[in-house]
Amino acid sequence: MENQEEDEVVLAKVTSEVEDNFEDEGLVSNSTLEKVAAAKKYIENHYNRRMRHIQQRKERRWVLEQKIASLDVSEKEQLELLEDLQRKETEYTRLMRNRLCVDDFDLLSIIGRGAFGEVRLCREKKTGNIYAMKKLKKSEMLSRGQVEHVRAERNLLAEVASDCIVKLYYSFQDPEYLYLIMEYLSGGDVMTLLMREETLTETVARFYIAQSVLAIESIHKHNYVHRDIKPDNLLLDKYGHMKLSDFGLCKPLDCRNISAMNVNEPLNDENINESIDGDENCSIGRRGRRWKSPLEQLQHWQINRRKLAYSTVGTPDYIAPEVLLKKGYGVECDWWSLGAIMYEMLVGYPPFYSDDPVTTCRKIVSWRTHLVFPEGARLTPEARDLICRLLCDSEHRLGSHGAGAEQIKAHTWFKDVEWEKLYEMDAAFKPVVNGELDTQNFMKFDEVECPKPARTGSGPSWKVSITPQNINFVGYTYRNFDAVRGSRHSLDIKGSVSPPRSSTDSTRSDSAIDYTKLSTGGDGSQQ
Amino acid sequence: MGGFLVLNSSNNVVRTVPSKKRKHPEYKSKIRELISGIRSDNLREAVRLPQGVDINEWFAMNTVDFFNQISLLYATLEEFCTQTTCPVMNAGRYEYRWADGTTITKPKTVSAPKYVEYLIDWVETEIDNEAIFPKNPGEPFPPNFEDFVKRILRKLFRVYAHIYYSHFHEIVALNEQAHLNTCFKHFLLFVSEFQLVDKEKEMAPIKSLVETMLDQ
């Protein structure tokens, strides 16, 4: 192999002076500047990720060694456990270099559809593992300004390892779409559960609200605010345990007409803007404004619920007033959403429900006059108190001012909840699930024929033109160590023991390499 | 003073200010300053074979990474590195001729962009060949896998050598020298750690830069 290249390197008969072939007024194209931006972004992401992987690998080893030390296992078994981890590390290293693409999966039934794409069941060809594939159209996200939203979602799912959060196994892209390969939770969502049950008993509601508290707490610990917590995003596994996700595919409410709303503005017809960006298939237009009885509210809500969920507008029913008013908000906006969900679970419809989204928004903003409990609702004083302390001004809301989930967990309505055992106990409802491919707990969606993308791996290639569209999605690719399945000897190494962390491990850390120190003069010129 | 580029921030356009001759490549005069910020300890740790990981797997992953990096970095220079500006693939007095051992067995003189085009096509073919770079769990590497890796990395080094020798002023003008230096230093540490590229024979064209980077 060496010999055939012996004369590939030739000492040319040239002077040591290098000819400068620049034309007098050459200009650098925008295309080059875009390539530079993409290359820099890719390299920075790569080294951040590389340093994080080194630390995570050390942690996995450390945690396993601690667990082995605390268990009474033979030397042979200890060796087998360590060998299994090493095998997984090697396999993960292989996974890291493989270019994933949509062709690596068998695409099965669609289980969700939204403004930016769809979610479908899929099977990984080489392993047979079943996942949910979330497919997002790049051009749609760019035109609707959702690039940061989807990047935040990918980062959140990649960073948060929690029983309460849907697990992300892979993310990759092709020229047209972004793909998130997530765990498939076959129990459906809480929206479907509520539509089936109408209302829940406080005991059952407490179980789901408590699990929601843990899920929200886990994302807040990573400095993320969900902003769109609703029953559609609370998914159930086959055992009935709940995990937080965003299968609604980021259906943002068009709040252009709401941002200037005033809390004291009267709710009359002239003030209600009809131009909200509705879905033509979604009959949620303005209707009469007459007062509706709680029973009528419930019936109306049930009729319109699915249409709202799958419209491009989405439902604003769970959004906090400070988010609608764009006043600046923090993590406490998610606790408002939890209060709205709790109200719906116990009453049968959300607290500010109306025929059309703009009116709902106005009611939310004027929550002081519109938060009422119907006479027929049999809620304990503790339940009412918790709802009222979540559906209130952000200044006085439970969980605000850094008090966090602990303040909510301490509320008397939760007094008998064993927080540490929530995910070990039997769920309030066990969904009917017949096998890993069962989708009966999801709505049925028709297939829409679309051209199959060519096989293009997620790794960068100089031959793929780096368009402005693609620059926005550099560094989207991700592989989860948990995608590598352990052998029967495997131990769960996500234990409670926490290893010493180095500064490079911070999931929000900057590059391990300081790029600012490396540049020359500020104008980029060389003296 | 050598030719240099000025970044015009107001309209995002880079203008070239020509000079007729440059006595030596520009990277040489500023080597120490330009690479002073690289955190060597991090990169040295990044090249070490992790405990329990198969060495071939480690070679494979890093080879793919280095290929992706050099592909993206070279792509930023495509409008400067042309048939006209670089009619021969070289690093100063060292000319590189293309041969891949299969379709082109006799080394031939080609322009720098053509050489890189051949190289990238060839490396992609190698990486996509599952007999060389196995993809499925448990599939073994060929017994001579290290030879394939050496061959790829040796050719990738030549692209770095060409960039540093012929296009460093554009790199500085585009303000990506930090990124280039980091990638190259990582590459050097890796090939040195596992002796995958012959330092004396292959790295001679930019010997001073290589030594400075490795000594840091």
Side-chain angles (χ1 to χ4, degrees):
Chain A
M1 195 171 277
E2 289 293 317
N3 299 343
Q4 69 193 24
E5 294 180 24
E6 278 304 316
D7 58 348
E8 276 187 33
V9 184
V10 178
L11 198 56
K13 294 183 177 70
V14 293
T15 65
S16 60
E17 289 183 334
V18 181
E19 194 68 41
D20 193 321
N21 290 304
F22 270 67
E23 293 166 26
D24 270 33
E25 280 296 294
L27 297 178
V28 171
S29 65
N30 280 335
S31 161
T32 290
L33 295 174
E34 283 163 5
K35 286 175 184 176
V36 169
K40 285 179 168 183
K41 201 169 180 184
Y42 174 84
I43 289 162
E44 287 169 25
N45 286 341
H46 173 80
Y47 282 104
N48 279 333
R49 211 163 46 229
R50 181 58 84 91
M51 297 308 160
R52 202 151 60 233
H53 286 156
I54 291 170
Q55 187 60 27
Q56 286 167 348
R57 198 161 41 226
K58 284 179 183 171
E59 281 178 24
R60 286 191 290 265
R61 178 109 192 165
W62 191 90
V63 170
L64 181 62
E65 284 169 352
Q66 295 300 305
K67 285 215 165 179
I68 286 172
S70 68
L71 293 170
D72 186 26
V73 289
S74 68
E75 254 183 70
K76 184 175 179 283
E77 282 176 303
Q78 286 182 28
L79 203 63
E80 281 174 347
L81 287 166
L82 284 167
E83 279 173 0
D84 187 57
L85 177 63
Q86 289 178 358
R87 183 193 59 74
K88 284 173 79 176
E89 293 291 1
T90 291
E91 206 173 305
Y92 184 54
T93 306
R94 179 168 294 193
L95 186 63
M96 295 285 287
R97 71 172 158 85
N98 280 354
R99 287 190 189 184
L100 272 180
C101 77
V102 75
D103 287 349
D104 294 319
F105 300 87
D106 289 318
L107 305 183
L108 308 171
S109 49
I110 299 173
I111 55 173
R113 185 173 279 142
F116 301 141
E118 64 188 22
V119 182
R120 62 162 80 227
L121 199 60
C122 68
R123 183 194 282 109
E124 190 177 14
K125 288 175 182 175
K126 71 176 181 191
T127 62
N129 295 333
I130 300 299
Y131 298 111
M133 175 190 281
K134 183 170 178 174
K135 177 180 167 184
L136 301 161
K137 197 165 177 64
K138 288 178 178 179
S139 57
E140 277 296 314
M141 286 185 297
L142 280 167
S143 65
R144 291 176 184 237
Q146 288 293 303
V147 173
E148 282 312 308
H149 188 150
V150 78
R151 181 172 290 284
E153 179 184 25
R154 174 251 182 241
N155 291 345
L156 170 78
L157 291 171
E159 286 172 21
V160 182
S162 164
D163 287 332
C164 329
I165 303 292
V166 68
K167 188 178 284 182
L168 175 69
Y169 286 99
Y170 311 115
S171 60
F172 57 92
Q173 58 183 299
D174 61 30
E176 267 192 277
Y177 294 97
L178 299 175
Y179 300 88
L180 292 163
I181 305 295
M182 302 150 99
E183 69 178 310
Y184 171 52
L185 298 171
S186 52
D189 57 31
V190 172
M191 174 184 79
T192 308
L193 174 75
L194 291 176
M195 289 175 72
R196 193 174 64 233
E197 299 295 325
E198 290 187 11
T199 60
L200 305 179
T201 65
E202 286 198 22
T203 306
V204 171
R206 188 180 290 110
F207 174 80
Y208 291 117
I209 294 296
Q211 289 201 331
S212 304
V213 168
L214 294 180
I216 295 167
E217 179 182 34
S218 66
I219 65 168
H220 288 180
K221 276 181 180 169
H222 284 76
N223 301 316
Y224 281 96
V225 186
H226 195 290
R227 293 182 312 180
D228 194 25
I229 288 168
K230 54 191 176 190
D232 329 29
N233 291 338
L234 302 174
L235 301 179
L236 304 174
D237 66 17
K238 62 183 175 185
Y239 304 109
H241 287 281
M242 202 209 71
K243 298 194 184 199
L244 181 58
S245 178
D246 189 7
F247 271 23
L249 295 164
C250 325
K251 298 183 300 286
L253 177 75
D254 186 342
C255 290
R256 285 172 299 196
N257 308 307
I258 300 153
S259 57
M261 244 192 263
N262 190 300
V263 179
N264 303 314
E265 207 174 306
L267 263 168
N268 56 37
D269 279 6
E270 294 81 64
N271 289 336
I272 294 162
N273 195 310
E274 294 180 77
S275 69
I276 210 156
D277 181 20
D279 188 326
E280 60 186 358
N281 302 319
C282 181
S283 54
I284 53 170
R286 270 173 62 203
R287 293 183 183 83
R289 299 270 169 253
R290 72 173 187 81
W291 179 86
K292 287 190 177 70
S293 71
L295 182 61
E296 284 179 302
Q297 286 263 61
L298 179 59
Q299 288 167 342
H300 214 278
W301 170 244
Q302 287 170 340
I303 290 164
N304 282 302
R305 181 61 177 100
R306 275 221 196 267
K307 288 179 183 174
L308 273 167
Y310 294 106
S311 74
T312 54
V313 178
T315 171
D317 281 277
Y318 312 94
I319 300 174
E322 63 269 23
V323 175
L324 291 177
L325 291 168
K326 298 184 179 172
K327 285 199 312 190
Y329 53 85
V331 293
E332 60 279 353
C333 72
D334 288 337
W335 299 124
W336 169 285
S337 303
L338 187 69
I341 292 167
M342 182 177 165
Y343 181 105
E344 183 183 347
M345 284 178 170
L346 300 176
V347 174
Y349 52 87
F352 307 104
Y353 174 64
S354 174
D355 293 358
D356 77 298
V358 175
T359 308
T360 298
C361 291
R362 294 193 183 285
K363 283 184 173 184
I364 290 168
V365 167
S366 313
W367 60 268
R368 283 178 179 83
T369 50
H370 290 93
L371 177 59
V372 288
F373 292 92
E375 282 176 33
R378 294 195 187 93
L379 276 72
T380 61
E382 291 83 6
R384 283 178 191 246
D385 181 70
L386 178 55
I387 289 168
C388 291
R389 292 179 71 180
L390 292 173
L391 298 179
C392 65
D393 190 81
S394 61
E395 285 294 298
H396 304 106
R397 198 174 301 154
L398 285 183
S400 63
H401 302 296
E406 290 308 317
Q407 190 179 34
I408 294 162
K409 289 178 186 177
H411 191 276
T412 51
W413 193 65
F414 291 118
K415 69 176 186 294
D416 296 323
V417 172
E418 293 184 83
W419 294 97
E420 290 75 28
K421 294 180 181 172
L422 259 182
Y423 277 82
E424 292 159 30
M425 63 190 283
D426 287 341
F429 285 112
K430 191 171 188 299
V432 177
V433 178
N434 303 316
E436 60 180 358
L437 296 177
D438 189 2
T439 59
Q440 66 175 303
N441 295 306
F442 289 90
M443 196 176 159
K444 299 286 175 280
F445 292 87
D446 295 329
E447 287 288 341
V448 179
E449 277 302 307
C450 56
K452 203 169 179 237
R455 182 180 172 110
T456 50
S458 56
S461 169
W462 78 299
K463 290 187 291 191
V464 177
S465 61
I466 300 169
T467 62
Q469 176 168 302
N470 288 335
I471 285 170
N472 290 284
F473 304 107
V474 168
Y476 190 78
T477 304
Y478 171 75
R479 311 277 182 271
N480 190 329
F481 183 77
D482 290 340
V484 179
R485 300 292 201 259
S487 73
R488 60 191 175 82
H489 302 296
S490 273
L491 262 185
D492 173 22
I493 58 169
K494 286 198 305 251
S496 53
V497 264
S498 29
R501 285 173 174 260
S502 80
S503 58
T504 56
D505 183 49
S506 164
T507 48
R508 312 292 295 160
S509 73
D510 293 319
S511 175
I513 291 140
D514 185 352
Y515 289 90
T516 54
K517 288 181 191 165
L518 288 161
S519 56
T520 50
D523 65 353
S525 63
Q526 181 161 0
Q527 305 310 312
Chain B
M1 185 167 74
F4 63 94
L5 300 165
V6 181
L7 276 172
N8 182 340
S9 55
S10 60
N11 59 5
N12 240 2
V13 165
V14 184
R15 293 186 178 276
T16 65
V17 182
S19 71
K20 286 296 159 218
K21 303 280 179 192
R22 288 200 304 278
K23 293 293 176 204
H24 52 71
E26 292 177 37
Y27 75 82
K28 285 188 178 177
S29 59
K30 287 208 165 192
I31 284 173
R32 291 199 181 276
E33 182 191 332
L34 288 171
I35 62 176
S36 61
I38 299 175
R39 299 256 295 272
S40 298
D41 50 342
N42 282 330
L43 287 178
R44 284 182 198 282
E45 186 172 15
V47 302
R48 268 181 231 123
L49 178 67
Q51 195 172 3
V53 171
D54 174 64
I55 193 164
N56 283 336
E57 206 59 77
W58 190 237
F59 285 171
M61 187 189 84
N62 281 279
T63 300
V64 170
D65 283 348
F66 292 135
F67 168 64
N68 283 333
Q69 288 175 359
I70 197 67
S71 299
L72 276 174
L73 287 165
Y74 181 78
T76 67
L77 299 170
E78 278 175 328
E79 71 177 283
F80 311 113
C81 185
T82 65
Q83 199 89 25
T84 315
T85 62
C86 305
V88 172
M89 173 62 173
N90 64 1
R93 295 166 62 223
Y94 291 81
E95 180 189 329
Y96 298 123
R97 294 175 179 175
W98 178 256
D100 58 21
T102 49
T103 52
I104 300 168
T105 49
K106 190 174 185 291
K108 66 172 185 178
T109 299
V110 290
S111 68
K114 195 70 193 164
Y115 186 98
V116 178
E117 185 187 329
Y118 278 142
L119 173 58
I120 286 176
D121 283 344
W122 172 73
V123 176
E124 281 198 330
T125 306
E126 297 276 284
I127 287 170
D128 287 340
N129 183 347
E130 294 193 36
I132 303 171
F133 284 79
K135 286 189 170 37
N136 293 328
E139 281 180 3
F141 286 91
N144 59 339
F145 180 66
E146 191 175 320
D147 294 333
F148 286 103
V149 168
K150 282 179 174 176
R151 225 174 135 207
I152 291 169
L153 295 178
R154 182 167 65 238
K155 289 183 189 299
L156 292 181
F157 173 83
R158 295 170 185 179
V159 182
Y160 275 120
H162 178 71
I163 290 173
Y164 274 105
Y165 215 97
S166 303
H167 299 292
F168 196 72
H169 56 309
E170 288 99 336
I171 290 286
V172 171
L174 295 168
N175 198 24
E176 58 178 343
Q177 67 272 27
H179 298 73
L180 173 71
N181 287 330
T182 299
C183 293
F184 185 53
K185 172 141 192 180
H186 184 195
F187 178 92
L188 286 178
L189 288 169
F190 186 81
V191 299
S192 301
E193 173 88 359
F194 300 102
Q195 293 162 358
L196 297 170
V197 176
D198 188 307
K199 198 171 162 189
E200 295 307 310
K201 198 172 107 182
E202 283 292 332
M203 298 190 185
I206 49 172
K207 191 172 175 234
S208 57
L209 174 66
V210 169
E211 284 171 354
T212 309
M213 279 201 171
L214 289 175
D215 287 348
Q216 255 201 331

